[in-house]
Amino acid sequence: MTTTANNNPTAENGTTVFIPLNKLKKHPKNARKTPHSDASIEAKAASIAAKGMLQNLVVEPERDSEGEPTGLYLVSVGEGRRLAQLLRVKRKEIKKTEPIRCVIDTANDAAEISLDENVTRENLSPADEFERFRELSENRGWGAEEIAARFGVTAHVVKQRLRLGAVSPKLMQVYRDGGLSLDQLMAFAITEDHARQEQVYDNLSYNRELWIIRRDLTKTNVAATDRRATFVGAQAYTEAGGTIIRDLFTEDRGGFYEDAALLDRLVIDKLERIAAEIQEAEGWKWVSVHMDYPHAHGMRRTYPRSVELSEEDAAAYDAAQEELERLSAEWEDADVDLPPETVARFAELEAEIERIDATRHAYDVQEIMRGGMFVVLSHDGEARIERGFIRPEDDAPGPEEAQNSETVIDGVRVNGDGEIIEDGEQDEDSDHVATLEPEDEDAGDDGKPLSDALIRDLTVDRTLALRLALGEQPDMAVIAVTHTLAAQTFYRGVDAHCHEIRPTSNHLAAHADGIEDTAAAKTLADRHAGWASDMPRDVADLWSFVAGLDHASLMALFAHCASLTVNAVKLPRETNRRRAHETAGKLATAVSLDMTAHWTPTVRAYLGRVTKAHILAAVREALGDQAAERIADLKKQAMAETAEQLLAGTGWLPPVLRTERPAWLTDDESDAFGTVADVIAPQAQNDDRFTVAAE
């Protein structure tokens, strides 16, 4: 029987009635004392708006102290739905007199039935929920936004449930049976490829860490943080037909690019476009595009030289600089935001100054006509342009250079044309001595040069005097040695120095792939290029250049040239450089070398190339015994990857990279030296960041 409460205020128990919303109030015996959450009320309101009131409320008439009906009704069951309807009134979706379907219950205890509704109810299985959301999307054609509106949740929540509903039915059943946790199911949902999900699941060991599941599922994909993805960009990749896998349950930093081959092709295409534009603008003879820098190119490199600004550029530079200084002074103390036109003018002036500064250095036209450049992808996802390389077939020296240049091959002096230099026999000490010819005593003295033997003797005296004098002038000795090092570092094919000092520089890329793509290598290359661009074009002017440097610049050039000769590389089966390596350690201490600024213990750099014992020793030293024990049962690859995460930020270094603290250093000043285990291990013992579940 259905009636209206206004017509029958004393309806019998079990009667269904429609009661105006403003006549309903919460029953004081309602079992729920903790208020409904805003999200719960929001979801109920959205559901009622979309589908109507699916469940009636259970109420009883309110009576006053004398037992007379007040005309209001107390809600024993359905308080959340009442609040949802009030929310709809507030939003002006319905009126406050909206009739609500209710059932009168005067037989049962209100507190008991309120409790009963919540205690005896069993929530829907999450697996069923995920699959039903998926069915709504597939069968009804509803998108995430529409489904979200009908259930009062966010579109992101709907997308997560849809993704979970797309997990392989086999794995969904494993989840239902308790074989997978919800977090593990979320990890599998990173891809919708059922075959791939099942393959990874079948290959899992007892260790089912979330990061291992995600790693194995994306092993053939490219992370969005990869330099290739950064360079190409998501839009260009997707427009080319690529698919990006996104993890809706973690911070995926842009997802994973599914088609690595397509991404590589897009990288090369973009690099080739950049190379063509630069070649057309600058006129290089050739360009060569590579994903990685071709270290074994075997070419000589030239650098841009300083050039004088044209009168027009010099005047424009001074004018721009003057106006920039005036504007800066004018707005320096301003408390308001700069006007848009002023901001734009600042940008124009800075761009003009930067443009003119770029013309202060330029390559020689001949070098551009016979040289080329490499366009490669840098480690940070930018196009790396390396100019000024001369191929051997294009590297024929000029007549003067060929005539003056010489080298030594198997003890024989050879000039720039490859001809043997016949400069006399050798004495017992293997010194070249000019062949003495009998003097013609009757010959006249006019125009006759001094004999080679006499010149040799005189220059021996001069050399001895130079050694004595230079040894008494340390400042001039620094200039002379710096000149010698710079002549051989920045010039080719000529001996423009008189010191028998031969700097050699070990090519590090021959020993470690990728070393020249690191940030440290880039910094060193930039420093070298900066000095190279300052060198005079003619080596004959180098002495004047070096001698004219201020003391700080002179020492900086000396230090740079000297730094290129450092060789602390330990090669296999090397037995004759023990003292050299000891000296390298002393040098590291002297310069306070901190390798934590240049190296971290990653799987690629260290952990994947050592034994499990070494990995455990590293974790134990940095984080303590407890952290090492937690990963002791992992397989080698999983142990290395877990250790990489644990050691990140700890500053741990293998012994071969540590800098020995100097004997004079006090304990308070020793932070940059030695190991970090004694500092980190105690505080890491109870740090949740370092807990690893090995189950």
Coordinates of all heavy atoms in Angstrom, one line a residue, residues 304-315 317-318 355-363 533-537:
P304 N 86.8 28.3 -33.5 CA 86.6 29.7 -34.0 C 87.7 30.6 -33.3 O 88.1 30.3 -32.2 CB 85.2 30.0 -33.5 CG 84.9 29.1 -32.4 CD 85.6 27.8 -32.7
R305 N 88.0 31.6 -34.0 CA 89.0 32.6 -33.6 C 88.3 33.9 -33.2 O 87.3 34.3 -33.8 CB 90.1 32.8 -34.6 CG 90.8 31.5 -35.1 CD 91.7 31.0 -34.0 NE 92.3 29.8 -34.5 CZ 93.2 29.1 -33.8 NH1 93.6 29.5 -32.6 NH2 93.8 28.0 -34.3
S306 N 89.0 34.7 -32.4 CA 88.5 36.0 -32.1 C 88.6 36.9 -33.3 O 89.6 36.9 -34.0 CB 89.3 36.6 -30.9 OG 89.1 35.8 -29.8
V307 N 87.6 37.7 -33.5 CA 87.6 38.6 -34.7 C 87.1 40.0 -34.1 O 86.3 40.1 -33.2 CB 86.7 38.2 -35.8 CG1 87.2 36.9 -36.4 CG2 85.2 38.0 -35.3
E308 N 87.5 41.0 -34.8 CA 87.1 42.4 -34.4 C 85.7 42.6 -34.9 O 85.3 42.2 -36.0 CB 88.1 43.4 -35.0 CG 89.5 43.4 -34.4 CD 89.5 43.8 -33.0 OE1 88.6 44.6 -32.6 OE2 90.4 43.4 -32.3
L309 N 84.9 43.3 -34.1 CA 83.6 43.7 -34.5 C 83.7 44.8 -35.6 O 84.6 45.6 -35.6 CB 82.8 44.3 -33.3 CG 82.4 43.3 -32.2 CD1 81.6 44.0 -31.1 CD2 81.5 42.1 -32.8
S310 N 82.7 44.7 -36.5 CA 82.6 45.8 -37.5 C 82.2 47.1 -36.8 O 81.7 47.1 -35.7 CB 81.6 45.5 -38.6 OG 80.3 45.4 -38.0
E311 N 82.5 48.2 -37.4 CA 82.1 49.5 -36.8 C 80.6 49.6 -36.5 O 80.2 50.1 -35.5 CB 82.6 50.7 -37.7 CG 84.1 50.8 -37.9 CD 84.4 52.0 -38.7 OE1 83.5 52.7 -39.2 OE2 85.6 52.2 -39.0
E312 N 79.8 49.0 -37.4 CA 78.4 49.1 -37.3 C 78.0 48.2 -36.1 O 77.2 48.7 -35.3 CB 77.7 48.5 -38.6 CG 76.2 48.5 -38.5 CD 75.6 48.0 -39.8 OE1 76.3 47.7 -40.7 OE2 74.3 47.8 -39.8
D313 N 78.5 47.0 -36.0 CA 78.2 46.2 -34.8 C 78.7 46.7 -33.5 O 78.0 46.6 -32.5 CB 78.7 44.7 -35.0 CG 77.9 43.9 -36.0 OD1 76.7 44.3 -36.3 OD2 78.4 42.9 -36.5
A314 N 79.9 47.3 -33.5 CA 80.4 47.9 -32.3 C 79.5 49.0 -31.8 O 79.3 49.2 -30.6 CB 81.9 48.4 -32.6
A315 N 79.1 49.9 -32.7 CA 78.2 51.0 -32.4 C 76.9 50.5 -31.8 O 76.3 51.0 -30.9 CB 78.0 51.9 -33.6
Y317 N 76.3 47.6 -30.5 CA 76.5 47.0 -29.2 C 76.6 48.0 -28.1 O 76.0 47.8 -27.0 CB 77.8 46.2 -29.2 CG 78.1 45.4 -27.9 CD1 77.6 44.1 -27.8 CD2 78.9 46.0 -26.9 CE1 77.9 43.4 -26.6 CE2 79.2 45.3 -25.8 CZ 78.6 44.0 -25.6 OH 78.9 43.3 -24.4
D318 N 77.4 49.1 -28.3 CA 77.5 50.1 -27.3 C 76.1 50.8 -27.0 O 75.8 51.0 -25.8 CB 78.5 51.2 -27.7 CG 79.9 50.6 -27.8 OD1 80.2 49.6 -27.1 OD2 80.8 51.2 -28.5
R355 N 73.4 38.5 -29.8 CA 73.7 38.4 -31.3 C 75.0 38.9 -31.7 O 75.8 38.3 -32.4 CB 72.6 39.0 -32.1 CG 72.8 38.9 -33.6 CD 71.9 39.8 -34.4 NE 72.2 41.2 -34.2 CZ 73.3 41.8 -34.9 NH1 74.0 41.1 -35.7 NH2 73.5 43.1 -34.7
I356 N 75.3 40.1 -31.2 CA 76.6 40.7 -31.5 C 77.8 40.0 -30.8 O 78.8 39.8 -31.4 CB 76.6 42.2 -31.1 CG1 75.5 43.0 -31.9 CG2 77.9 42.9 -31.4 CD1 75.3 44.4 -31.5
D357 N 77.6 39.6 -29.6 CA 78.6 38.8 -28.9 C 79.0 37.5 -29.7 O 80.1 37.1 -29.7 CB 78.2 38.4 -27.5 CG 78.4 39.5 -26.5 OD1 79.3 40.3 -26.7 OD2 77.7 39.6 -25.5
A358 N 78.0 36.9 -30.3 CA 78.2 35.7 -31.1 C 79.1 35.9 -32.3 O 79.8 35.0 -32.8 CB 76.9 35.1 -31.5
T359 N 79.2 37.2 -32.8 CA 80.1 37.5 -33.9 C 81.5 37.8 -33.6 O 82.3 38.0 -34.4 CB 79.5 38.7 -34.7 OG1 79.6 39.9 -33.9 CG2 78.0 38.4 -35.1
R360 N 81.8 37.8 -32.3 CA 83.2 38.1 -31.8 C 84.1 36.9 -32.1 O 85.3 37.0 -32.1 CB 83.2 38.4 -30.3 CG 82.4 39.6 -30.0 CD 82.5 39.9 -28.5 NE 81.7 41.0 -28.1 CZ 82.1 42.3 -28.1 NH1 83.4 42.6 -28.6 NH2 81.3 43.3 -27.7
H361 N 83.6 35.7 -32.4 CA 84.4 34.5 -32.7 C 83.8 33.9 -34.0 O 82.6 33.8 -34.1 CB 84.3 33.5 -31.6 CG 85.0 34.0 -30.3 ND1 84.3 34.7 -29.4 CD2 86.3 33.8 -29.8 CE1 85.2 35.0 -28.4 NE2 86.3 34.4 -28.6
A362 N 84.7 33.5 -34.8 CA 84.3 33.0 -36.1 C 85.3 32.0 -36.6 O 86.5 32.1 -36.3 CB 84.0 34.1 -37.1
Y363 N 84.8 31.0 -37.4 CA 85.8 30.1 -38.1 C 86.3 30.7 -39.3 O 85.7 31.5 -40.0 CB 85.0 28.8 -38.5 CG 84.7 27.9 -37.3 CD1 83.5 28.0 -36.6 CD2 85.6 26.9 -36.9 CE1 83.2 27.1 -35.6 CE2 85.3 26.1 -35.8 CZ 84.1 26.2 -35.2 OH 83.8 25.3 -34.1
S533 N 89.4 29.2 -28.8 CA 88.9 30.4 -29.6 C 89.7 31.7 -29.3 O 89.7 32.6 -30.1 CB 87.4 30.7 -29.3 OG 87.3 31.0 -27.9
D534 N 90.4 31.7 -28.2 CA 91.2 32.9 -27.8 C 92.6 32.8 -28.4 O 93.4 33.8 -28.4 CB 91.3 33.0 -26.3 CG 90.0 33.4 -25.6 OD1 89.1 33.9 -26.4 OD2 89.8 33.2 -24.4
M535 N 93.1 31.6 -28.8 CA 94.4 31.5 -29.3 C 94.6 32.3 -30.6 O 93.7 32.4 -31.4 CB 94.7 30.0 -29.6 CG 94.8 29.1 -28.4 SD 96.2 29.4 -27.3 CE 95.3 29.9 -25.8
P536 N 95.8 32.9 -30.7 CA 96.1 33.7 -32.0 C 96.1 32.7 -33.2 O 96.4 31.5 -33.0 CB 97.5 34.3 -31.7 CG 98.1 33.5 -30.6 CD 96.9 33.0 -29.8
R537 N 95.7 33.2 -34.3 CA 95.6 32.4 -35.5 C 97.0 31.8 -35.9 O 97.1 30.7 -36.3 CB 95.0 33.2 -36.7 CG 94.7 32.3 -37.9 CD 94.0 33.2 -38.9 NE 92.7 33.8 -38.3 CZ 91.6 33.1 -38.3 NH1 91.5 31.9 -38.8 NH2 90.5 33.7 -37.8

